[in-house]
Amino acid sequence: MKTLTAVIGLLTVILGGCWNNIELTETRFVTAIGIDLNEEGRYVLTVNVMKPSSGKTDAGGAAEKSAIIQSTGYTMLDAARNMIEYSGYKLSYHQMQYVAIGTDAAKKDIIGPLDLFFRDQELSGRHWVIYVEGKAESLLHSKGNTNDIQPLQINEKMISNRSIGKYPPVRSLDLMRMMASKEKVGYLPISHPIQSKKESREARAVIIKGGKAIASINETQVRGLLWTTGKIKSTIVIVPLKKQGQYASIEIVDSKTKIRPVLENNQLYIQVTVHPHGYIGSLNHPIPIDTETYEWLQTKINHVIRDEIHEAVAVAQKNKADIFGFHEYVHRAYPQVWKTWEEQWPARFSELDVKVNVQSKLLLNGLLAEQLGEK
């Protein structure tokens, strides 16, 4: 009897549904969010809402799959609740792909408007956070050129950028961890609405300090940041050859980074050691590939990567923003010293000696020397 009762109870739970289940007829799914400030200083919330499929198409033969809706509020929660008046439905954020924050809102405060989405129990922290130069709503209004659903294209772009190594994708959970530091220092990728399929722009990022966007870093400095933080998994390093105007493309297939703080005579320095592995992707002027040439190319790769890291360190130190998280390594290695240094860290970081050691390994392609160029 007890077994039968237990089975009935289990079936009741399973068949009865979840206590917080979502009725599809009573809600609409948000796939992207844009956060801006208007002239009155209120938050402007722009959302991309998926439309239920009706099977009908417009005169051009294509069905609109989403709608853009806007509301304003004194706080983000206020703006989100006001959104119901315009949408006519309760909005669900389960399927959200990204949150974009515009320049004015980001320069005022990034943590405040994003706090709502950090706390929302519906969200897993897996959605992307993007900085938009200008208005965030412009990104939501842009059209996808490889996917009809623009938020899904942004998601695909963020994932694929890991193989490029020039763009720093940041998920909500990543940003939360960055902002957990006392200085609230971190970074976000900069996105530009692409107006044309032929348009191409440099990959950049914005530095966050004190929870606000303060400065941007260029594509070279972004990759220096990614080398240092060990987030390069695949990228192409362009190496100048001996003859002017000739280059080799070295494809990096793996890279590991070790960061070690060293304290000597009360003087601190950071040792950054990078171990990239790759192979020759292409040469625009074939040369004989022998042991000497491989060693020479490895040396050139080391120089290029080291220079990129130094550039990233220089711009971060200029802004007194430890975007690399060096303070975490110092804290773990020297906890007692850190207690006296914590309050002074931005100033100490700006003058910190960062030593960079790159030990690249160029893998053999299986090509013979006589197959490449003249003997």
Side-chain angles (χ1 to χ4, degrees):
M1 188 66 181
K2 291 182 178 180
T3 303
L4 179 61
T5 303
V7 172
I8 293 174
L10 180 61
L11 290 174
T12 301
V13 172
I14 295 174
L15 299 178
C18 300
W19 65 271
N20 63 340
N21 64 321
I22 301 173
E23 294 294 339
L24 296 180
T25 57
E26 299 176 2
T27 190
R28 291 293 182 267
F29 291 97
V30 173
T31 55
I33 289 175
I35 300 172
D36 292 301
L37 285 180
N38 64 15
E39 295 178 354
E40 299 173 345
R42 297 186 187 182
Y43 287 112
V44 179
L45 180 63
T46 308
V47 300
N48 185 306
V49 182
M50 293 295 295
K51 290 182 176 180
S53 177
S54 62
K56 297 180 180 180
T57 59
D58 59 19
E64 287 291 334
K65 295 180 173 61
S66 62
I68 303 295
I69 306 173
Q70 251 184 7
S71 70
T72 61
Y74 290 97
T75 66
M76 285 303 301
L77 181 58
D78 184 30
R81 288 296 173 88
N82 291 340
M83 188 68 70
I84 299 175
E85 177 183 351
Y86 299 97
S87 67
Y89 294 90
K90 178 182 178 181
L91 299 180
S92 170
Y93 299 92
H94 283 284
Q95 305 299 321
M96 187 166 67
Q97 303 297 308
Y98 70 83
V99 174
I101 184 164
T103 299
D104 292 340
K107 287 184 176 180
K108 178 183 178 182
D109 180 24
I110 285 179
I111 301 176
L114 291 178
D115 181 74
L116 172 64
F117 306 105
F118 288 161
R119 296 177 184 275
D120 197 318
Q121 295 180 358
E122 290 186 8
L123 304 178
S124 63
R126 300 289 296 169
H127 56 275
W128 307 102
V129 184
I130 304 169
Y131 174 89
V132 179
E133 289 187 327
K135 295 293 184 180
E137 68 172 280
S138 64
L139 182 61
L140 276 73
H141 282 289
S142 65
K143 300 294 184 180
N145 52 19
T146 60
N147 194 315
D148 291 338
I149 303 176
Q150 187 261 14
L152 294 183
Q153 177 175 315
I154 294 291
N155 179 59
E156 294 162 357
K157 175 184 176 182
M158 292 294 173
I159 294 173
S160 64
N161 270 314
R162 294 172 180 171
S163 64
I164 300 175
K166 294 182 179 180
Y167 202 71
V170 175
R171 294 190 186 272
S172 176
L173 189 58
D174 300 326
L175 183 61
M176 289 172 63
R177 289 168 178 163
M178 294 178 194
M179 295 300 101
S181 66
K182 186 172 183 178
E183 290 79 24
K184 294 180 174 54
V185 170
Y187 56 87
L188 286 176
I190 295 177
S191 182
H192 306 272
I194 302 299
Q195 305 299 329
S196 167
K197 292 182 179 181
K198 297 181 180 179
E199 185 178 354
S200 177
R201 296 194 182 185
E202 182 185 62
R204 296 189 297 138
V206 64
I207 295 176
I208 302 168
K209 182 180 178 183
K212 302 177 182 180
I214 62 166
S216 63
I217 55 178
N218 64 32
E219 189 172 285
T220 299
Q221 295 158 352
V222 166
R223 193 158 70 169
L225 165 65
L226 296 177
W227 288 120
T228 308
T229 53
K231 294 181 179 178
I232 293 284
K233 300 304 176 186
S234 176
T235 189
I236 301 295
V237 177
I238 306 300
V239 176
L241 299 177
K242 293 180 180 179
K243 290 186 179 181
Q244 188 174 2
Q246 298 174 355
Y247 300 91
S249 297
I250 309 300
E251 183 167 1
I252 303 299
V253 295
D254 184 39
S255 180
K256 291 180 173 56
T257 302
K258 182 178 180 181
I259 296 175
R260 184 171 66 94
V262 180
L263 185 61
E264 294 179 348
N265 300 322
N266 205 38
Q267 295 295 315
L268 176 72
Y269 72 85
I270 299 291
Q271 179 65 60
V272 177
T273 305
V274 183
H275 297 272
H277 291 179
Y279 58 86
I280 298 174
S282 66
L283 298 166
N284 63 3
H285 180 75
I287 56 177
I289 303 300
D290 50 25
T291 301
E292 181 181 350
T293 303
Y294 263 87
E295 291 177 352
W296 179 81
L297 283 173
Q298 285 182 155
T299 301
K300 299 300 289 184
I301 296 168
N302 295 344
H303 289 168
V304 171
I305 295 175
R306 184 188 61 197
D307 291 346
E308 290 180 349
I309 293 175
H310 280 314
E311 278 198 44
V313 170
V315 72
Q317 289 184 322
K318 179 181 178 181
N319 289 280
K320 296 184 178 181
D322 180 11
I323 56 178
F324 312 99
F326 289 154
H327 64 280
E328 297 178 5
Y329 294 90
V330 177
H331 187 189
R332 287 197 295 267
Y334 306 103
Q336 294 303 317
V337 175
W338 177 252
K339 290 181 181 179
T340 61
W341 283 5
E342 184 176 7
E343 296 294 331
Q344 311 162 357
W345 182 247
R348 284 186 175 273
F349 168 76
S350 68
E351 300 177 352
L352 187 64
D353 183 14
V354 179
K355 302 179 185 295
V356 180
N357 180 22
V358 183
Q359 300 175 6
S360 62
K361 183 177 181 181
L362 195 56
L363 307 174
L364 292 173
N365 294 45
L367 298 177
L368 301 177
E370 58 264 30
Q371 292 177 301
L372 296 172
E374 300 177 356
K375 295 183 179 180

